Amino acid sequence: MAKYEQLAAQIRQQIESGIWRAGERMPSLRKQTEHSGMSLMTVMHAYQLLESQGWLIAHPRSGYTVADNIQSVTEPEKAAVETAESVDINSFIFDVLQASRKPYMVNFGFAYPDPGLYPRHQVNKSLMHAARNLPVSNALDNLPPGNDTLRTMIAQRYAAKGVNISPDEIVITAGALEALNLSLQAVTRPGDWVVVESPTFYGALQSLERFGLKALSVRTDPKTGIDLDSLERAFQSHPVKACWLMTNHQNPLGFTLTEGKKRRLISLLKKYQVALIEDDVYSELYAGTEQPLPAKAFDTTGNVMLCSSFSKSLVAGYRIGWVAAGKRAMDIQKLQLMSTLTTSVPIQLALVDYLNTRHYERHLKQLRRTLDKRKKTMCQLLSRTLPPSVEIIHSEGGYFVWLILPQHADAMAIYAQALAENITLAPGDMFSPGTQFNHCLRLNTSFELDERHTQAIHQLSRIIQLHIGHSH
Amino acid sequence: MAKYEQLAAQIRQQIESGIWRAGERMPSLRKQTEHSGMSLMTVMHAYQLLESQGWLIAHPRSGYTVADNIQSVTEPEKAAVETAESVDINSFIFDVLQASRKPYMVNFGFAYPDPGLYPRHQVNKSLMHAARNLPVSNALDNLPPGNDTLRTMIAQRYAAKGVNISPDEIVITAGALEALNLSLQAVTRPGDWVVVESPTFYGALQSLERFGLKALSVRTDPKTGIDLDSLERAFQSHPVKACWLMTNHQNPLGFTLTEGKKRRLISLLKKYQVALIEDDVYSELYAGTEQPLPAKAFDTTGNVMLCSSFSKSLVAGYRIGWVAAGKRAMDIQKLQLMSTLTTSVPIQLALVDYLNTRHYERHLKQLRRTLDKRKKTMCQLLSRTLPPSVEIIHSEGGYFVWLILPQHADAMAIYAQALAENITLAPGDMFSPGTQFNHCLRLNTSFELDERHTQAIHQLSRIIQLHIGHSH
């Protein structure tokens, strides 16, 4: 049993023995931390667990009270996901991904857009060109920071949006994930605190765990994004080294920070001298006419590492990403040299060839239109079929919707049953080290709602309804 | 400000205040080291920085003089290279690699064989085929462990040598370096002890540093390899988690462990329950008729992670390697999923296409013959030109020779001077966290001894002679 589970069990006994009575305020997190001698994170997790089990009720900005329906709550035998102690979350994510590989699956749990939307013939043609004209394969020509022309092209695309990034600060990586990992290593040592959103991209949680870092989850509104007052308090209470945030079309919630919020974020980071690892892989997939800028656009300190890739907008499987690393470009090159040496040369050259054809902008326009249309269609179907107690969170842009089910619903159980019916989805548990999203689901909206997918949505709605009913 | 910058600033002030005058010889690196109490590396960096800023002029074979136009020099805003104290070895290796990129360099410091020996037209053709026939780019089809056919082909090549490796334990990686790093992460936690050879591949030292591991260097004979009695004592005295060793054509020394020694190594590892990370990137490059087996061939415990790649034998820059991970295949897949997600799909398919052509064995035969011939020719030239006090260590296979100079010789100074004359080499300092090899050099013997390379060997011999003399 993890520490937070032990603490939760203790508190539950206290409630059962009448020490804390229904409706009564629980000690604040901070007080509980002092009492128990445990870390704030452990106490937080314990409270969240008790909340998810129906023992406590969370009140925004005023802590927790004891629930008055505690008699009717049946404690689940065992939490479906065990967090904190080990790499269980990784195993789970691994299982989810492996399950998605089966060809007959309907992949609402998929993290990429429908691969049918990629211009694969064009891109493969570019790879053929690159292969035909490949210079004597000299790995040294393409050591970090990577191909010069590709870096310049990426910088030019930023410049076209009014974002001033020098090719010199760009390092080409094996996808955005390597960029994010190298950035994290460049600014942290094991034991450091790193702020993540709550919920956050599970890759961030995995990386934090892998490098022995401590996650500080900051309250994040499904529509407006990270709460900057909470963020500032986090900076005041913890020696935070870095924030790992998505500012545009966040995964899994879908929000995009307003420009005002991005500016305030940047000024907070400056004030408290915290580095930003900005995961911006979805920003090309906006709806409407205006591409949201990265927060880095407003930074003057060189303290923002902007990570992105072509994987979500052009081609999956090539593994090409980059980081615009500001003042840490050199550190990141050295780290890359130690970890993967450099990015595949022909793949870099293929991207150069493709970007030279100038098809990319046309493709992106088409992709954005299609994703926007498909998302709207799917949201309509969802709102028609799902019970009214399910909240459908969808923002403009990207290709995810976030479903908030009634508190007692169990996303993991729904996930398991959907999987048994050959439908994948991403349960909320994937996006948090705690249990506070275990009644939420992320769905991919990028697939065409043909008969098979429409049918799957109906199936899924039935499963959800069943589970909401069951738990009463 | 890094130490070398502080030293550079000091020296600049000295020049400004007239301590060192235009045209005057600066103290030698060694003298400056004694005066300043700083490391040779720091002093070298400081001199190089001052040279790049126009304060000093480097003279082949006779150190540095003060520039006479120092009044007109405007100091660049920021040093071109920033090094921190802790990553000095990495910074240095980075500098060496960057220096090697210049086209006019004679690259005796190169870690790859002469790129002209790779069958680039064949391999590029395979990449073109792969690009033409690329399936709908679905990253999920090629999640870790990587392409099924490629893994089977690799297993079949082992089987042909009598090594029994299942495709199921093979994970495709971005080069051997990623394979080694993932293996290391799979069996260690920060603070753990890991055995390395002395001297060892610098990548091992970098990885140990990056993951907060402690290196235990075990005595290694230039001709017969790691001393197994010392290794057993290391196991007895320290809670060693893993060994990172090269059993065939070791870098930098060149030795290959005998089969008897490999068997004893495996039984020691079994007895003390220590994992082996076996770096076997050179084993295809044997001389004679019989390929040496990896130590893994003798393992029955699943505790050996055999890492290799196509980078040294077929193509550099594609970044394709693998690990035959034994019982840790699943752990490594999960780690890869977190770090680079997966290996570039078209590149994997290109390798499958190439291996299907069955050109590989023919190419390897040719490559082995050429490397063997060139090594012998170069060793002959070296033994004719180098002073008799220099010991030339060369084993069968691979493409490195190891020069042991008299103890008082300074490999870093020789490196610096050779670099000034456009010759790279790998100073012994790169291969050890200590200073015990600072009188040794590693040379790449894979280039054809044309006039330019022959000339460079003569130049190098002169530099070495000079330095052996100088230091007396």
Side-chain angles (χ1 to χ4, degrees):
Chain A
M1 196 153 56
K3 269 196 188 168
Y4 78 97
E5 290 173 316
Q6 292 171 18
L7 179 59
Q10 261 176 41
I11 298 173
R12 206 175 50 227
Q13 281 172 6
Q14 294 171 355
I15 296 173
E16 288 178 319
S17 66
I19 295 181
W20 311 107
R21 285 168 197 278
E24 208 174 331
R25 270 180 72 104
M26 288 297 291
S28 71
L29 294 174
R30 194 166 285 277
K31 252 190 199 148
Q32 189 68 256
T33 306
E34 287 165 20
H35 292 171
S36 62
M38 291 184 184
S39 76
L40 189 57
M41 295 279 290
T42 306
V43 174
M44 264 184 57
H45 282 145
Y47 274 33
Q48 284 164 358
L49 179 59
L50 289 166
E51 188 202 348
S52 76
Q53 294 172 344
W55 294 88
L56 297 182
I57 296 166
H59 302 273
R61 276 187 293 280
S62 57
Y64 289 82
T65 57
V66 180
D68 59 359
N69 60 343
I70 52 170
Q71 304 310 336
S72 66
V73 170
T74 46
E75 193 191 353
E77 263 183 65
K78 190 174 171 297
V81 178
E82 291 183 3
T83 48
E85 290 310 288
S86 61
V87 289
D88 263 348
I89 182 143
N90 301 334
S91 300
F92 168 63
I93 287 162
F94 185 75
D95 293 346
V96 172
L97 285 167
Q98 294 296 342
S100 313
R101 296 175 77 160
K102 291 170 186 152
Y104 47 81
M105 282 285 169
V106 170
N107 272 326
F108 292 138
F110 204 40
Y112 291 84
D114 175 2
L117 298 177
Y118 289 135
R120 71 186 180 96
H121 291 297
Q122 297 282 5
V123 179
N124 293 350
K125 219 197 255 176
S126 286
L127 180 57
M128 283 171 59
H129 286 167
R132 193 177 302 132
N133 304 314
L134 213 58
V136 176
S137 295
N138 187 338
L140 287 180
D141 289 345
N142 286 274
L143 279 182
N147 184 275
D148 286 340
T149 313
L150 183 56
R151 287 158 53 234
T152 305
M153 284 171 147
I154 291 168
Q156 284 165 354
R157 297 196 78 254
Y158 280 120
K161 296 160 201 161
V163 185
N164 195 17
I165 286 174
S166 156
D168 291 342
E169 63 167 301
I170 294 177
V171 182
I172 306 295
T173 58
L177 192 59
E178 188 186 31
L180 292 160
N181 276 311
L182 294 175
S183 299
L184 190 64
Q185 290 174 71
V187 292
T188 59
R189 302 254 146 206
D192 283 347
W193 286 99
V194 176
V195 160
V196 294
E197 290 141 341
S198 178
T200 183
F201 166 51
Y202 54 78
L205 299 174
Q206 292 178 315
S207 294
L208 263 52
E209 187 176 325
R210 190 158 68 102
F211 296 117
L213 300 165
K214 290 180 282 191
L216 201 56
S217 293
V218 170
R219 207 159 65 82
T220 302
D221 181 87
K223 298 297 281 183
T224 60
I226 190 160
D227 184 83
L228 292 180
D229 293 329
S230 300
L231 183 66
E232 182 158 20
R233 279 195 299 277
F235 289 166
Q236 287 162 348
S237 62
H238 291 76
V240 173
K241 282 289 163 54
C243 296
W244 176 323
L245 304 177
M246 295 190 83
T247 48
N248 299 317
H249 315 306
Q250 194 250 14
N251 178 11
L253 296 175
F255 65 80
T256 293
L257 293 188
T258 63
E259 194 172 308
K261 236 176 142 171
K262 284 171 186 159
R263 286 185 190 275
R264 197 178 148 214
L265 168 65
I266 289 293
S267 82
L268 279 179
L269 293 165
K270 189 176 174 185
K271 181 171 169 196
Y272 292 94
Q273 296 183 35
V274 175
L276 176 60
I277 300 164
E278 187 173 17
D279 179 355
D280 201 31
V281 293
Y282 299 105
S283 74
E284 294 287 2
L285 307 180
Y286 56 92
T289 55
E290 207 167 330
Q291 176 162 8
L293 293 179
K296 185 178 172 81
F298 311 108
D299 173 63
T300 54
T301 64
N303 217 7
V304 177
M305 289 156 282
L306 175 63
C307 303
S308 192
S309 83
F310 295 104
S311 304
K312 302 297 197 296
S313 53
L314 179 66
V315 56
Y318 271 46
R319 307 307 300 142
I320 284 281
W322 65 88
V323 49
K327 62 184 180 188
R328 298 195 180 83
M330 205 47 119
D331 299 331
I332 283 178
Q333 289 180 51
K334 287 174 191 166
L335 283 167
Q336 188 181 32
L337 205 59
M338 283 186 256
S339 50
T340 58
L341 190 57
T342 181
T343 311
S344 182
V345 176
I347 295 294
Q348 294 188 58
L349 297 175
L351 265 291
V352 169
D353 185 279
Y354 177 79
L355 294 176
N356 264 328
T357 63
R358 313 207 175 261
H359 281 136
Y360 192 35
E361 298 307 327
R362 213 180 316 148
H363 155 68
L364 283 175
K365 263 185 205 154
Q366 176 65 44
L367 178 63
R368 284 174 202 132
R369 256 200 312 269
T370 309
L371 288 179
D372 189 38
K373 213 179 94 201
R374 289 186 177 177
K375 187 190 227 181
K376 281 177 179 147
T377 313
M378 180 142 157
C379 284
Q380 280 163 10
L381 181 59
L382 285 171
S383 60
R384 277 204 310 275
T385 57
L386 288 174
S389 59
V390 177
E391 193 181 350
I392 304 171
I393 304 286
H394 56 103
S395 304
E396 293 265 286
Y399 49 86
F400 292 133
V401 291
W402 181 249
L403 304 184
I404 306 179
L405 279 53
Q407 282 283 348
H408 65 268
D410 177 350
M412 286 299 291
I414 293 170
Y415 161 76
Q417 187 164 342
L419 196 62
E421 301 188 24
N422 297 327
I423 300 169
T424 70
L425 49 81
D429 307 67
M430 283 172 78
F431 304 99
S432 164
T435 57
Q436 68 267 48
F437 302 106
N438 63 5
H439 59 296
C440 301
L441 308 172
R442 187 197 72 185
L443 301 185
N444 184 316
T445 64
S446 72
F447 296 92
E448 197 179 357
L449 272 187
D450 54 13
E451 207 183 304
R452 183 162 152 256
H453 284 83
T454 306
Q455 161 73 13
I457 288 286
H458 284 289
Q459 259 172 288
L460 185 58
S461 295
R462 266 199 309 277
I463 297 172
I464 289 174
Q465 250 160 330
L466 216 65
H467 273 266
I468 295 178
H470 261 191
S471 326
H472 274 306
Chain B
M1 197 153 58
K3 271 195 186 169
Y4 79 94
E5 289 174 314
Q6 292 170 21
L7 178 59
Q10 262 176 41
I11 297 173
R12 205 175 52 228
Q13 280 172 7
Q14 295 171 355
I15 296 174
E16 287 177 319
S17 66
I19 295 182
W20 312 106
R21 285 168 197 280
E24 210 174 330
R25 268 180 72 105
M26 288 296 293
S28 71
L29 294 174
R30 194 168 285 275
K31 255 191 198 146
Q32 189 68 257
T33 306
E34 286 165 20
H35 293 170
S36 63
M38 291 184 185
S39 75
L40 188 59
M41 296 276 291
T42 306
V43 175
M44 265 187 58
H45 279 142
Y47 274 31
Q48 285 166 357
L49 177 61
L50 289 167
E51 190 202 348
S52 74
Q53 294 172 343
W55 294 88
L56 297 182
I57 296 166
H59 300 274
R61 279 187 295 279
S62 58
Y64 290 82
T65 59
V66 180
D68 58 0
N69 59 344
I70 51 169
Q71 304 310 337
S72 66
V73 170
T74 46
E75 191 191 354
E77 265 181 64
K78 194 166 167 300
V81 179
E82 287 185 7
T83 47
E85 286 315 297
S86 58
V87 290
D88 258 349
I89 182 139
N90 300 335
S91 300
F92 168 64
I93 288 163
F94 186 75
D95 292 349
V96 171
L97 284 167
Q98 294 296 341
S100 314
R101 296 174 79 159
K102 291 170 187 153
Y104 47 82
M105 283 284 169
V106 170
N107 274 325
F108 292 138
F110 204 41
Y112 291 84
D114 175 3
L117 298 176
Y118 290 135
R120 69 184 182 98
H121 291 298
Q122 298 282 6
V123 180
N124 292 350
K125 219 197 257 178
S126 286
L127 180 55
M128 284 173 59
H129 285 168
R132 192 177 302 131
N133 304 314
L134 213 57
V136 176
S137 294
N138 186 338
L140 288 180
D141 289 345
N142 286 274
L143 279 182
N147 183 275
D148 285 341
T149 313
L150 183 57
R151 288 158 52 233
T152 304
M153 284 170 147
I154 291 168
Q156 285 165 353
R157 297 197 77 254
Y158 280 120
K161 296 158 201 159
V163 185
N164 196 16
I165 285 173
S166 156
D168 291 342
E169 63 167 301
I170 295 177
V171 182
I172 306 295
T173 58
L177 192 58
E178 188 186 31
L180 292 160
N181 277 311
L182 295 176
S183 298
L184 191 63
Q185 290 174 72
V187 292
T188 60
R189 301 254 146 204
D192 281 349
W193 286 98
V194 176
V195 160
V196 294
E197 289 141 341
S198 177
T200 184
F201 166 50
Y202 55 78
L205 299 174
Q206 292 178 315
S207 294
L208 263 51
E209 185 177 326
R210 189 157 70 102
F211 295 117
L213 299 165
K214 290 180 281 194
L216 201 59
S217 292
V218 170
R219 207 158 65 81
T220 303
D221 181 85
K223 299 297 282 182
T224 60
I226 191 160
D227 185 83
L228 293 180
D229 294 329
S230 301
L231 183 67
E232 182 159 20
R233 280 195 299 277
F235 290 166
Q236 286 162 347
S237 62
H238 291 76
V240 173
K241 282 289 163 53
C243 295
W244 175 324
L245 305 177
M246 294 188 84
T247 49
N248 299 316
H249 315 306
Q250 194 251 12
N251 179 10
L253 296 175
F255 65 79
T256 292
L257 294 188
T258 62
E259 194 172 308
K261 237 175 142 171
K262 284 172 185 157
R263 286 183 190 275
R264 198 180 147 211
L265 168 64
I266 289 293
S267 82
L268 279 178
L269 292 166
K270 187 176 174 184
K271 181 173 168 194
Y272 294 93
Q273 296 183 33
V274 175
L276 175 60
I277 300 164
E278 186 172 18
D279 178 357
D280 201 31
V281 294
Y282 299 105
S283 75
E284 293 288 2
L285 307 180
Y286 56 92
T289 54
E290 207 166 332
Q291 175 162 8
L293 294 180
K296 185 177 173 83
F298 311 108
D299 173 64
T300 54
T301 64
N303 216 8
V304 178
M305 288 155 284
L306 175 63
C307 303
S308 192
S309 82
F310 296 104
S311 303
K312 302 297 196 297
S313 54
L314 179 66
V315 57
Y318 270 47
R319 306 306 302 140
I320 284 281
W322 67 86
V323 49
K327 62 184 179 188
R328 297 194 180 83
M330 205 47 122
D331 299 332
I332 283 179
Q333 290 180 51
K334 287 174 191 168
L335 283 166
Q336 187 180 32
L337 204 60
M338 284 186 256
S339 50
T340 58
L341 190 58
T342 182
T343 311
S344 181
V345 175
I347 296 293
Q348 294 188 57
L349 297 176
L351 264 292
V352 168
D353 186 279
Y354 178 80
L355 293 175
N356 264 328
T357 65
R358 314 208 173 258
H359 280 138
Y360 192 35
E361 298 308 326
R362 214 181 314 149
H363 155 69
L364 283 175
K365 263 184 204 153
Q366 176 65 45
L367 177 64
R368 283 174 203 132
R369 257 200 311 269
T370 309
L371 288 178
D372 190 39
K373 213 179 95 202
R374 289 187 176 177
K375 187 190 227 183
K376 281 176 178 146
T377 314
M378 179 143 158
C379 285
Q380 281 165 10
L381 182 59
L382 285 171
S383 60
R384 279 206 309 275
T385 57
L386 288 174
S389 60
V390 177
E391 194 181 350
I392 304 172
I393 304 287
H394 56 102
S395 304
E396 295 264 285
Y399 48 87
F400 292 133
V401 291
W402 181 250
L403 305 185
I404 305 178
L405 279 53
Q407 282 282 348
H408 65 267
D410 179 348
M412 286 298 291
I414 293 170
Y415 160 76
Q417 191 163 339
L419 196 62
E421 300 188 29
N422 297 328
I423 300 167
T424 69
L425 49 80
D429 306 67
M430 284 172 76
F431 303 98
S432 164
T435 57
Q436 68 265 47
F437 303 105
N438 62 5
H439 60 295
C440 301
L441 306 173
R442 187 198 70 185
L443 301 185
N444 184 316
T445 64
S446 72
F447 296 92
E448 197 180 355
L449 272 187
D450 55 13
E451 208 183 304
R452 182 161 153 256
H453 284 83
T454 307
Q455 161 73 14
I457 288 286
H458 285 289
Q459 258 173 287
L460 185 58
S461 295
R462 267 200 309 276
I463 296 172
I464 289 174
Q465 251 160 330
L466 217 64
H467 273 266
I468 296 177
H470 260 192
S471 327
H472 275 307

